[in-house]
Amino acid sequence: MSEHDAIARFARETVVEPEHISRARQHALELGAAPISAGVGAQCALIAAATGARSIIEIGTGAGVSGLWLLHGAPKAVLTTIDHEPEHLAVARQAFTQSRIPAARVRLITGRAADVLPRMNEASYDIVLVDADPENVIDYVEHGLRLARAGGTVLVPRVLNGRVADPVARDAVTTAYRTLLQETQASPAVIPAISTIGEGLLQLTTVAE
């Protein structure tokens, strides 16, 4: 094992996931709704806490793991979460209930993100998390930047999944993530950062005018 691999493993294994999120993770795995890693979840919680987030929108609910991490960091926030799979939303709702999160703090929307996002109010959210349909990630991030308030943050997990670092790889998902990373690094509209923990996390904070 290389030193880089050893460090990555150490960082991954050091994260302590709250029990209620671990339960949701198990349900997600049973459902086949791949959750974000604990390391990426912890980073999302940290950003939510550091920004004092009060309004969060999530594109891709899964079984509720990412939403629970965000609310773990922002216990006073209201979470709006979108997914086109009713079964996923039902399991997520149960996870939020079992975690004693008041129903008034979670708004679950059933529908395709491409149909729902244009109807959401722009500049209304402190944090936007994008974790759905990776082949459409660029479109979703564009929506996310529109929905984020000035100084808000768009979070995109899984950006280092697959073969993003392999210049030979040209499949649709790899190309979409690679293009997203390259374009956002050069954009004057955001302050970008890439975390390499777990499956990777792209962080884009909009520049306040």
Side-chain angles (χ1 to χ4, degrees):
M1 180 182 294
S2 69
E3 182 179 3
H4 180 272
D5 291 338
I7 291 172
R9 178 178 177 180
F10 177 80
R12 183 173 63 250
E13 294 179 349
T14 299
V15 177
V16 177
E17 188 166 58
E19 184 178 349
H20 68 284
I21 303 181
S22 293
R23 288 197 302 269
R25 177 178 302 282
Q26 184 58 43
H27 292 153
L29 294 173
E30 293 170 358
L31 186 63
I36 59 172
S37 66
V40 166
Q43 294 237 323
C44 291
L46 175 99
I47 293 166
T51 58
R54 292 301 186 97
S55 182
I56 301 172
I57 187 167
E58 179 182 46
I59 305 167
T61 309
V65 173
S66 51
L68 288 171
W69 269 115
L70 288 165
L71 292 174
H72 179 66
K76 296 183 179 180
V78 173
L79 171 70
T80 298
T81 183
I82 305 165
D83 205 294
H84 71 282
E85 292 284 355
E87 185 180 7
H88 290 186
L89 287 169
V91 173
R93 186 188 300 276
Q94 183 179 25
F96 293 131
T97 299
Q98 291 178 342
S99 300
R100 298 183 179 180
I101 295 172
R105 289 185 48 220
V106 180
R107 179 188 181 198
L108 296 99
I109 299 177
T110 305
R112 293 174 55 83
D115 299 327
V116 175
L117 292 173
R119 304 198 301 267
M120 307 307 290
N121 294 330
E122 63 181 50
S124 298
Y125 298 93
D126 300 309
I127 292 178
V128 181
L129 186 138
V130 177
D131 187 23
D133 308 329
E135 64 275 9
N136 296 316
V137 67
I138 293 176
D139 289 341
Y140 294 160
V141 169
E142 288 178 353
H143 277 294
L145 292 171
R146 178 182 65 82
L147 298 178
R149 63 168 177 78
T153 298
V154 176
L155 300 173
V156 189
R158 310 184 201 274
V159 291
L160 300 181
N161 265 354
R163 303 170 63 194
V164 172
D166 181 356
V168 178
R170 291 289 186 271
D171 62 275
V173 172
T174 298
T175 299
Y177 278 133
R178 187 183 294 131
T179 299
L180 174 65
L181 291 169
Q182 292 170 344
E183 290 184 352
T184 53
Q185 293 301 303
S187 172
V190 297
I191 299 172
I194 304 170
S195 169
T196 60
I197 194 167
E199 64 275 32
L201 178 68
L202 175 63
Q203 306 158 58
L204 305 169
T205 295
T206 61
V207 175
E209 297 181 358

